[in-house]
Amino acid sequence: MAIIIKSNEEIKLMQIAGDVVARTHELIEKYAKPGVTTKELDTIAADYIRSRGAIASFLGYEGAFGAGKYPGSVCLSINEEVIHGIPSLRKLKDGDILSVDIGAYINGYHGDAARTLCIGNVSEEDRKLVEVTKQSFFEGIKMAKEGNHLYEISAAIEAYVVSHGFSIVRDYVGHGVGKNLHEAPEIPNYRVPRRGPKLQRGMVLAIEPMVNIGTWEVEVLDDLWTVVTCDGKKSAHYENTIAITDGEPEILTMVH
Protein backbone atom coordinates (compact mmCIF):
# COMPACT_ATOMS: atom_id res chain seq x y z
CA MET A 1 0.00 0.00 0.00
CA ALA A 2 1.38 3.40 -1.00
CA ILE A 3 2.18 6.07 1.57
CA ILE A 4 -0.23 9.01 1.14
CA ILE A 5 1.45 12.41 1.11
CA LYS A 6 -0.69 15.20 2.62
CA SER A 7 -0.86 18.78 1.38
CA ASN A 8 -0.40 21.75 3.70
CA GLU A 9 -4.19 22.23 3.65
CA GLU A 10 -4.77 18.62 4.67
CA ILE A 11 -2.27 18.92 7.52
CA LYS A 12 -4.11 22.01 8.76
CA LEU A 13 -7.31 19.95 8.86
CA MET A 14 -5.43 17.21 10.72
CA GLN A 15 -4.31 19.82 13.27
CA ILE A 16 -7.98 20.30 14.15
CA ALA A 17 -8.45 16.56 14.72
CA GLY A 18 -5.20 16.56 16.69
CA ASP A 19 -6.41 19.39 18.90
CA VAL A 20 -9.59 17.47 19.75
CA VAL A 21 -7.45 14.48 20.73
CA ALA A 22 -4.99 16.55 22.78
CA ARG A 23 -7.71 18.35 24.72
CA THR A 24 -9.57 15.10 25.36
CA HIS A 25 -6.35 13.78 26.88
CA GLU A 26 -6.14 16.83 29.14
CA LEU A 27 -9.69 16.19 30.30
CA ILE A 28 -9.09 12.50 31.01
CA GLU A 29 -5.94 13.31 32.98
CA LYS A 30 -7.97 15.69 35.14
CA TYR A 31 -10.56 13.02 36.04
CA ALA A 32 -8.38 9.89 36.19
CA LYS A 33 -8.21 9.41 39.97
CA PRO A 34 -8.55 6.44 42.35
CA GLY A 35 -12.18 5.29 42.55
CA VAL A 36 -13.18 6.39 39.05
CA THR A 37 -14.25 3.68 36.62
CA THR A 38 -12.84 3.44 33.11
CA LYS A 39 -16.43 3.54 31.84
CA GLU A 40 -16.87 6.96 33.47
CA LEU A 41 -13.70 8.18 31.76
CA ASP A 42 -14.92 6.82 28.43
CA THR A 43 -18.18 8.77 28.81
CA ILE A 44 -16.29 11.99 29.62
CA ALA A 45 -14.13 11.51 26.52
CA ALA A 46 -17.09 10.63 24.29
CA ASP A 47 -19.05 13.68 25.40
CA TYR A 48 -16.16 16.04 24.80
CA ILE A 49 -15.29 14.62 21.37
CA ARG A 50 -18.94 14.94 20.37
CA SER A 51 -19.07 18.53 21.71
CA ARG A 52 -16.29 19.45 19.28
CA GLY A 53 -18.29 18.12 16.33
CA ALA A 54 -15.95 15.15 15.98
CA ILE A 55 -16.46 11.38 16.02
CA ALA A 56 -14.54 8.98 18.27
CA SER A 57 -12.31 7.09 15.83
CA PHE A 58 -12.29 3.84 17.81
CA LEU A 59 -16.02 3.47 18.50
CA GLY A 60 -17.29 0.68 16.27
CA TYR A 61 -13.84 0.05 14.77
CA GLU A 62 -13.83 -3.41 13.19
CA GLY A 63 -11.36 -5.69 14.97
CA ALA A 64 -9.27 -8.54 13.64
CA PHE A 65 -9.80 -12.27 14.17
CA GLY A 66 -13.55 -11.98 14.69
CA ALA A 67 -13.32 -9.46 17.53
CA GLY A 68 -16.28 -7.50 16.17
CA LYS A 69 -16.65 -3.77 16.68
CA TYR A 70 -14.80 -1.99 19.46
CA PRO A 71 -17.41 -1.01 22.09
CA GLY A 72 -15.76 2.04 23.65
CA SER A 73 -14.99 5.55 22.46
CA VAL A 74 -11.41 5.41 23.76
CA CYS A 75 -9.06 2.60 24.80
CA LEU A 76 -8.28 2.46 28.54
CA SER A 77 -5.67 -0.10 29.56
CA ILE A 78 -4.63 -0.66 33.19
CA ASN A 79 -1.24 -1.95 34.40
CA GLU A 80 -0.36 -5.15 32.47
CA GLU A 81 -2.89 -4.24 29.77
CA VAL A 82 -0.80 -2.93 26.88
CA ILE A 83 -3.44 -1.58 24.48
CA HIS A 84 -7.12 -1.87 23.48
CA GLY A 85 -8.47 -2.18 27.04
CA ILE A 86 -12.28 -1.95 26.97
CA PRO A 87 -13.95 0.64 29.25
CA SER A 88 -15.74 -1.10 32.13
CA LEU A 89 -16.96 -0.74 35.71
CA ARG A 90 -13.44 -1.47 36.98
CA LYS A 91 -12.31 1.28 39.34
CA LEU A 92 -8.87 2.81 39.20
CA LYS A 93 -6.77 2.16 42.30
CA ASP A 94 -3.93 4.06 43.93
CA GLY A 95 -0.70 2.83 42.33
CA ASP A 96 -2.23 1.87 38.96
CA ILE A 97 -0.92 3.13 35.66
CA LEU A 98 -3.52 3.83 32.97
CA SER A 99 -2.78 3.92 29.25
CA VAL A 100 -5.25 6.14 27.40
CA ASP A 101 -5.45 5.89 23.59
CA ILE A 102 -7.69 8.44 21.86
CA GLY A 103 -8.64 8.98 18.24
CA ALA A 104 -10.93 11.67 16.80
CA TYR A 105 -12.29 12.13 13.27
CA ILE A 106 -13.38 15.53 11.96
CA ASN A 107 -13.34 17.27 8.57
CA GLY A 108 -12.49 13.94 6.94
CA TYR A 109 -9.29 13.25 8.91
CA HIS A 110 -8.21 11.38 12.04
CA GLY A 111 -5.94 12.37 14.92
CA ASP A 112 -4.45 9.64 17.14
CA ALA A 113 -2.47 9.87 20.40
CA ALA A 114 -1.85 7.91 23.60
CA ARG A 115 -0.59 8.75 27.08
CA THR A 116 0.07 6.67 30.19
CA LEU A 117 -1.06 8.27 33.46
CA CYS A 118 0.14 7.56 36.99
CA ILE A 119 -2.85 7.10 39.32
CA GLY A 120 -2.12 8.31 42.84
CA ASN A 121 1.14 7.10 44.34
CA VAL A 122 2.92 4.76 41.94
CA SER A 123 6.16 2.88 42.47
CA GLU A 124 9.48 4.34 41.39
CA GLU A 125 9.85 1.60 38.77
CA ASP A 126 6.41 2.28 37.30
CA ARG A 127 7.06 6.02 37.15
CA LYS A 128 10.36 5.35 35.38
CA LEU A 129 8.53 3.08 32.90
CA VAL A 130 6.06 5.86 32.06
CA GLU A 131 8.81 8.48 31.71
CA VAL A 132 11.07 6.28 29.56
CA THR A 133 8.17 5.36 27.28
CA LYS A 134 7.33 9.04 26.74
CA GLN A 135 10.94 10.05 26.18
CA SER A 136 11.49 7.18 23.74
CA PHE A 137 8.93 8.82 21.46
CA PHE A 138 10.88 12.09 21.55
CA GLU A 139 14.15 10.23 20.95
CA GLY A 140 12.53 8.60 17.93
CA ILE A 141 11.26 11.80 16.34
CA LYS A 142 14.73 13.33 16.44
CA MET A 143 15.19 11.13 13.36
CA ALA A 144 11.83 12.13 11.79
CA LYS A 145 13.34 14.49 9.24
CA GLU A 146 12.99 14.72 5.49
CA GLY A 147 15.67 12.61 3.80
CA ASN A 148 16.15 10.22 6.72
CA HIS A 149 14.71 6.71 6.55
CA LEU A 150 11.69 5.50 8.50
CA TYR A 151 13.43 2.76 10.44
CA GLU A 152 15.94 5.23 11.85
CA ILE A 153 13.01 6.33 14.04
CA SER A 154 12.44 2.69 15.03
CA ALA A 155 16.08 2.10 15.95
CA ALA A 156 16.29 5.27 18.06
CA ILE A 157 13.19 4.28 20.06
CA GLU A 158 14.48 0.79 20.81
CA ALA A 159 17.99 1.96 21.69
CA TYR A 160 16.63 4.38 24.30
CA VAL A 161 14.19 1.86 25.82
CA VAL A 162 16.70 -0.98 26.04
CA SER A 163 19.33 1.32 27.57
CA HIS A 164 16.93 1.79 30.50
CA GLY A 165 16.32 -1.92 31.01
CA PHE A 166 12.83 -2.19 29.49
CA SER A 167 11.53 -4.07 26.45
CA ILE A 168 9.63 -3.01 23.31
CA VAL A 169 6.41 -4.70 22.22
CA ARG A 170 6.93 -6.21 18.76
CA ASP A 171 3.47 -7.47 17.84
CA TYR A 172 1.98 -3.96 17.48
CA VAL A 173 3.48 -0.97 15.69
CA GLY A 174 2.84 2.62 14.69
CA HIS A 175 1.24 3.58 11.38
CA GLY A 176 0.40 6.27 8.89
CA VAL A 177 -2.77 8.22 9.57
CA GLY A 178 -5.03 10.51 7.54
CA LYS A 179 -8.44 9.92 5.99
CA ASN A 180 -8.11 6.42 7.42
CA LEU A 181 -7.12 5.70 11.01
CA HIS A 182 -4.53 3.18 9.84
CA GLU A 183 -2.59 3.86 6.65
CA ALA A 184 0.80 2.86 5.28
CA PRO A 185 3.51 2.67 6.45
CA GLU A 186 3.80 0.41 9.47
CA ILE A 187 6.31 1.88 11.94
CA PRO A 188 8.06 -0.66 14.19
CA ASN A 189 9.37 0.57 17.53
CA TYR A 190 12.41 -1.72 17.26
CA ARG A 191 15.41 -1.98 14.97
CA VAL A 192 14.84 -3.86 11.72
CA PRO A 193 17.50 -4.88 9.17
CA ARG A 194 16.19 -2.61 6.40
CA ARG A 195 16.20 1.19 6.23
CA GLY A 196 12.56 1.52 5.21
CA PRO A 197 11.11 4.26 3.00
CA LYS A 198 12.74 7.67 2.81
CA LEU A 199 10.87 10.29 4.81
CA GLN A 200 9.20 12.98 2.71
CA ARG A 201 7.54 16.26 3.60
CA GLY A 202 3.79 15.66 3.91
CA MET A 203 4.00 12.20 5.44
CA VAL A 204 1.81 11.99 8.56
CA LEU A 205 2.74 9.27 11.03
CA ALA A 206 1.38 7.96 14.34
CA ILE A 207 4.47 6.93 16.27
CA GLU A 208 3.62 4.92 19.37
CA PRO A 209 6.15 3.05 21.50
CA MET A 210 4.63 0.38 23.75
CA VAL A 211 7.10 -0.52 26.49
CA ASN A 212 7.08 -3.36 29.04
CA ILE A 213 8.88 -3.81 32.35
CA GLY A 214 9.45 -7.53 31.67
CA THR A 215 9.19 -9.59 28.51
CA TRP A 216 8.17 -7.94 25.24
CA GLU A 217 5.79 -10.82 24.58
CA VAL A 218 2.04 -10.16 24.70
CA GLU A 219 -1.23 -12.03 24.27
CA VAL A 220 -4.86 -11.14 23.59
CA LEU A 221 -7.54 -11.83 26.22
CA ASP A 222 -10.76 -13.73 25.56
CA ASP A 223 -12.59 -10.47 24.77
CA LEU A 224 -10.46 -10.52 21.56
CA TRP A 225 -9.44 -6.89 22.13
CA THR A 226 -7.40 -6.41 25.30
CA VAL A 227 -3.67 -7.02 24.81
CA VAL A 228 -1.73 -7.92 27.97
CA THR A 229 1.86 -8.73 28.82
CA CYS A 230 2.54 -12.47 28.99
CA ASP A 231 4.33 -12.18 32.34
CA GLY A 232 1.73 -9.90 33.98
CA LYS A 233 4.21 -7.06 34.44
CA LYS A 234 3.21 -3.49 33.65
CA SER A 235 3.26 -1.77 30.28
CA ALA A 236 3.14 1.87 29.14
CA HIS A 237 2.16 3.54 25.85
CA TYR A 238 2.92 6.96 24.38
CA GLU A 239 1.85 8.19 20.96
CA ASN A 240 1.48 11.32 18.87
CA THR A 241 0.51 12.03 15.29
CA ILE A 242 3.34 13.92 13.57
CA ALA A 243 3.83 15.53 10.17
CA ILE A 244 7.15 15.43 8.35
CA THR A 245 8.17 18.95 7.27
CA ASP A 246 11.26 20.50 5.64
CA GLY A 247 12.60 21.05 9.16
CA GLU A 248 11.63 19.62 12.54
CA PRO A 249 8.60 17.30 12.65
CA GLU A 250 5.33 18.93 13.66
CA ILE A 251 3.40 17.23 16.47
CA LEU A 252 -0.30 17.51 15.61
CA THR A 253 -1.73 16.01 18.82
CA MET A 254 -0.38 18.35 21.48
CA VAL A 255 -2.07 21.52 22.75
CA HIS A 256 -0.28 24.54 21.29
Side-chain angles (χ1 to χ4, degrees):
M1 200 188 322
I3 299 172
I4 300 168
I5 302 297
K6 278 77 176 178
S7 67
N8 289 339
E9 290 72 23
E10 288 178 299
I11 289 171
K12 284 177 183 173
L13 290 174
M14 294 194 71
Q15 286 174 328
I16 297 169
D19 185 71
V20 175
V21 169
R23 292 182 188 279
T24 309
H25 270 295
E26 285 191 334
L27 200 58
I28 292 296
E29 185 169 4
K30 179 180 170 185
Y31 285 99
K33 309 290 181 190
V36 173
T37 69
T38 55
K39 183 67 178 169
E40 288 172 310
L41 295 177
D42 185 69
T43 300
I44 290 166
D47 289 347
Y48 179 74
I49 291 168
R50 199 178 305 114
S51 78
R52 292 287 302 272
I55 295 168
S57 300
F58 304 157
L59 182 62
Y61 189 86
E62 197 70 49
F65 312 114
K69 295 182 177 181
Y70 184 74
S73 292
V74 298
C75 297
L76 296 157
S77 308
I78 302 172
N79 296 336
E80 77 283 356
E81 297 173 353
V82 182
I83 49 173
H84 303 162
I86 296 173
S88 71
L89 298 179
R90 179 177 175 182
K91 291 182 178 180
L92 296 176
K93 301 195 307 292
D94 188 66
D96 283 342
I97 60 172
L98 174 69
S99 293
V100 182
D101 194 356
I102 298 173
Y105 178 77
I106 186 170
N107 298 326
Y109 292 89
H110 292 272
D112 188 8
R115 310 279 186 262
T116 298
L117 306 177
C118 295
I119 307 301
N121 300 296
V122 304
S123 71
E124 191 175 321
E125 182 180 44
D126 292 350
R127 192 170 295 279
K128 180 185 174 187
L129 171 70
V130 171
E131 289 171 355
V132 167
T133 304
K134 178 179 180 178
Q135 187 58 35
S136 73
F137 164 86
F138 289 100
E139 295 298 318
I141 67 166
K142 289 176 182 177
M143 310 307 295
K145 295 181 180 177
E146 191 173 29
N148 283 356
H149 287 81
L150 184 68
Y151 297 157
E152 292 178 67
I153 299 172
S154 309
I157 290 171
E158 183 184 43
Y160 185 79
V161 168
V162 170
S163 74
H164 287 82
F166 298 124
S167 65
I168 283 278
V169 172
R170 290 171 170 261
D171 295 31
Y172 299 88
V173 296
H175 52 91
V177 62
K179 289 183 177 178
N180 296 301
L181 182 59
H182 294 99
E183 297 181 353
E186 290 194 340
I187 309 165
N189 297 302
Y190 51 88
R191 186 185 300 276
V192 291
R194 305 178 306 285
R195 293 195 302 172
K198 185 177 281 192
L199 297 174
Q200 298 177 49
R201 182 172 26 177
M203 286 182 176
V204 179
L205 311 172
I207 297 170
E208 52 177 322
M210 291 152 267
V211 178
N212 297 347
I213 286 179
T215 178
W216 61 265
E217 294 177 300
V218 299
E219 58 188 349
V220 182
L221 295 184
D222 290 343
D223 63 21
L224 300 181
W225 279 107
T226 309
V227 177
V228 298
T229 59
C230 284
D231 60 8
K233 293 183 179 178
K234 291 181 182 177
S235 181
H237 185 196
Y238 190 86
E239 173 188 24
N240 280 303
T241 301
I242 71 161
I244 304 299
T245 72
D246 55 3
E248 296 298 319
E250 182 180 2
I251 300 176
L252 305 180
T253 46
M254 296 184 83
V255 174
H256 296 292

